């Protein structure tokens, strides 16, 4: 596992534990290591913004959380449903539900989770 992956996986773990500020920091570290290959820049930025949104929400800053959720969804939109071994479609859907609940002043029960994707059968046989 390279250093980018290490920061990414640590960021996912922290996000899923509800340590959103720390998750944001790890995604930022991964982004900073991309150097010339910026193909995943928006992906990391989307995850970073999702972490910031949930950090803001925990601080009671609802309007700021909504702003960051909208940005997260925008940055994550171009990526496939399974990207970097996570269930991105499900994560985007959870963020969209979270945003809709905030926009309609409904309470948020639990923050979304970033779930790992199982490898495709073709990946297993190789």
């Amino acid at each position: 596992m390279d250093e980018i992956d290490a920061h990414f996986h640590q960021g996912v773990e922290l996000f899923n534990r509800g340590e959103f500020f720390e998750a944001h920091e790890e995604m930022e570290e991964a982004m900073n290591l991309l150097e010339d290959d910026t193909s995943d820049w928006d992906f990391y930025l989307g995850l970073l913004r999702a972490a910031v949104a949930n950090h803001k929400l925990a601080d009671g800053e609802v309007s700021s959380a909504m702003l960051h959720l909208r940005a997260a969804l925008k940055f994550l939109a171009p990526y496939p449903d399974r990207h970097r071994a996570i269930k991105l479609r499900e994560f985007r859907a959870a963020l969209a539900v979270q945003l809709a609940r905030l926009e309609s002043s409904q309470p948020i029960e639990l923050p979304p989770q970033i779930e790992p994707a199982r490898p495709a059968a073709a990946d297993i046989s190789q």
Side-chain angles (χ1 to χ4, degrees):
M1 177 183 314
D2 68 13
E3 196 174 354
I4 295 171
D5 286 339
H7 285 291
F8 168 68
H9 290 293
Q10 182 66 22
V12 168
E13 273 186 43
L14 290 164
F15 188 99
N16 287 342
R17 288 197 313 245
E19 299 177 37
F20 301 115
F21 181 81
E22 294 80 3
H24 145 268
E25 293 289 316
E26 289 297 326
M27 294 304 170
E28 190 171 55
E29 286 297 322
M31 288 171 66
N32 290 337
L33 293 169
L34 289 174
E35 297 176 6
D36 294 331
D37 179 11
T38 59
S39 59
D40 271 346
W41 180 266
D42 285 350
F43 172 73
Y44 290 115
L45 188 54
L47 294 176
L48 182 152
R49 297 294 290 266
V52 171
N54 280 278
H55 177 70
K56 294 292 186 182
L57 193 55
D59 286 346
E61 298 178 34
V62 175
S63 62
S64 181
M66 290 190 298
L67 177 81
H68 288 285
L69 284 170
R70 286 185 197 103
L73 288 165
K74 180 187 112 184
F75 288 120
L76 295 174
Y79 291 91
D81 291 344
R82 301 290 183 264
H83 189 68
R84 299 206 35 93
I86 67 168
K87 294 181 179 180
L88 192 54
R89 178 185 61 217
E90 290 83 351
F91 185 62
R92 286 188 300 240
L95 293 176
V97 166
Q98 189 180 36
L99 178 59
R101 291 184 69 87
L102 289 172
E103 289 174 336
S104 63
S105 300
Q106 295 178 23
I108 301 297
E109 295 166 11
L110 294 172
Q113 294 284 292
I114 303 172
E115 299 176 51
R118 291 194 173 151
D123 294 339
I124 295 170
S125 64
Q126 294 179 2

